[in-house]
Amino acid sequence: ELCKGLNGIDKVILREVRGCSAQVYLYGGQVISWKNEYGEELLFVSSKAVFKPPKAIRGGIPICFPQFGSQGSLEQHGFARNRLWSVDPDPPPFPVNNPNKAFVDLILKHSEEDMKIWPHRYEFRLRITLGPGGDLMLTSRIRNTNTDGKSFAFTFAYHTYLAVSDISEVRVEGLETLDYLDNMKDKERFTEQGDAITFESEVDKVYLSTPTKIAILDHERKRTFVLRKDGLPDAVVWNPWDKKAKAMPDFGDDEYKHMLCVEAACVEKPIILKPDWVLVVRLTYSKWILARIFWRAEFKRAEKR
Ligand code: BG6
């Protein structure tokens, strides 16, 4: 279902039989809402978010491409998150034959304008799928369509803003004992000690070579997000906390208490994608980079009070 969102920006709404839904803005190719069957919002979007170019929307799942962060010649987190994507009206069939899945394919391609800052041709196909039961899946197929034989390198992240009830009660499991780069300390490398990750101050870390499964436990809501990722070795964990929050114009002063970014990413070692010269698509990994994120929210509903 294609309709108008805030400021007249087109958005697509995906619905699932039990009432789960997701909303995707064509601006940024950005999922900005994901609701479970009780109508509860699972993603965080700031009340001060600006739904207007050229700023990226603060919340949901911005796509960081072709650069994560500020390391590189492009603007912070690349340009994909503030470009207008288009809907593919005739997407290729879903790989698994499951009619219960609602999905949409969004496309972003190089433009003459963008080639001045990033001189490569590409086609980025982002498939957003809402599975039965409300699982949300994002699949990115990035294809190098350079005609000059050149490979390109890029870094990437699904910059997911999760809604949590109280950040000080949240635990992240699956990252303990891993190495990370600390963005707050000049990207110096450290090793995480001890137990599950908990939060009591600003965090901005890139965990390296993480397992494919990461769990985010929100105690107060008795909700667990399970993230599974393929093709994306790293995971960024970010919460701006109070001081940074105040400094961000599109973020409420106290909103840091109700969000946590856990981002499936490829940051440390850029992905190098060779030009597309084989005829048969999808059979080789040199042709398609398949980066998939799979969010599942498992609910242990609180007993009736
Ligand atoms: C995170 C980065 O992914 O995004 C942080 O690790 C950054 O360093 C944050 O502050 C937000 O970035 P932006 O550009 O959306 O304000």
Side-chain angles (χ1 to χ4, degrees), residues 55-286:
K55 235 190 125 49
I57 302 165
R58 175 75 62 199
I61 313 183
I63 304 289
C64 303
F65 172 85
Q67 176 185 302
F68 174 83
S70 55
Q71 250 177 332
S73 57
L74 301 175
E75 62 198 274
Q76 158 108 331
H77 290 334
F79 50 73
R81 64 176 179 163
N82 45 34
R83 292 292 178 272
L84 198 58
W85 296 53
S86 57
V87 175
D88 183 352
D90 188 21
F94 201 79
V96 186
N97 190 15
N98 187 339
N100 293 329
K101 286 183 173 165
F103 75 92
V104 62
D105 276 21
L106 300 187
I107 306 279
L108 186 69
K109 286 184 186 170
H110 58 88
S111 66
E112 289 301 317
E113 206 50 35
D114 285 345
M115 282 184 73
K116 291 180 193 155
I117 50 171
W118 201 64
H120 297 291
R121 291 168 200 276
Y122 67 92
E123 185 195 79
F124 191 137
R125 174 181 295 272
L126 173 65
R127 178 164 295 182
I128 299 142
T129 306
L130 191 64
D135 293 345
L136 182 67
M137 193 195 285
L138 277 74
T139 307
S140 291
R141 293 181 178 83
I142 299 159
R143 187 175 177 182
N144 178 340
T145 53
N146 270 338
T147 48
D148 58 3
K150 288 207 177 96
S151 297
F152 60 65
F154 64 97
T155 49
F156 181 90
Y158 290 111
H159 197 307
T160 309
Y161 287 80
L162 295 170
V164 300
S165 47
D166 176 0
I167 186 68
S168 58
E169 296 287 324
V170 170
R171 253 174 37 182
V172 177
E173 291 179 358
L175 302 174
E176 49 278 8
T177 74
L178 296 180
D179 279 6
Y180 64 88
L181 308 178
D182 196 334
N183 281 337
M184 291 168 60
K185 294 182 183 145
D186 263 346
K187 304 186 170 43
E188 205 184 319
R189 195 178 179 117
F190 297 91
T191 304
E192 195 65 67
Q193 308 289 338
D195 263 348
I197 319 290
T198 53
F199 301 90
E200 51 197 26
S201 58
E202 184 183 349
V203 188
D204 190 355
K205 295 175 177 176
V206 181
Y207 289 90
L208 306 171
S209 307
T210 76
T212 54
K213 181 178 163 185
I214 298 167
I216 297 100
L217 289 78
D218 182 348
H219 281 234
E220 205 172 290
R221 285 206 182 123
K222 302 208 170 17
R223 177 185 292 161
T224 301
F225 293 100
V226 178
L227 154 66
R228 286 172 210 276
K229 56 189 178 69
D230 291 323
L232 293 165
D234 306 326
V236 183
V237 176
W238 178 62
N239 184 296
W241 222 256
D242 55 350
K243 240 168 76 200
K244 244 291 155 70
K246 286 203 176 78
M248 288 192 288
D250 60 346
F251 192 95
D253 290 358
D254 286 328
E255 287 181 332
Y256 73 93
K257 292 175 185 162
H258 307 299
M259 57 72 73
L260 178 66
C261 283
V262 180
E263 315 168 27
C266 183
V267 176
E268 194 195 24
K269 297 190 187 97
I271 295 169
I272 295 173
L273 193 58
K274 289 182 184 160
D276 181 7
W277 55 272
V278 185
L279 256 178
V280 185
V281 290
R282 273 226 199 108
L283 284 178
T284 80
Y285 254 62
S286 61

Side-chain angles (χ1 to χ4, degrees), residues 1-3 10-14 22-24 26 87 104 106:
E1 182 188 334
L2 186 66
C3 52
D10 284 327
K11 66 174 178 182
V12 176
I13 304 180
L14 302 174
Q23 292 191 25
V24 188
L26 300 202
V87 175
V104 62
L106 300 187

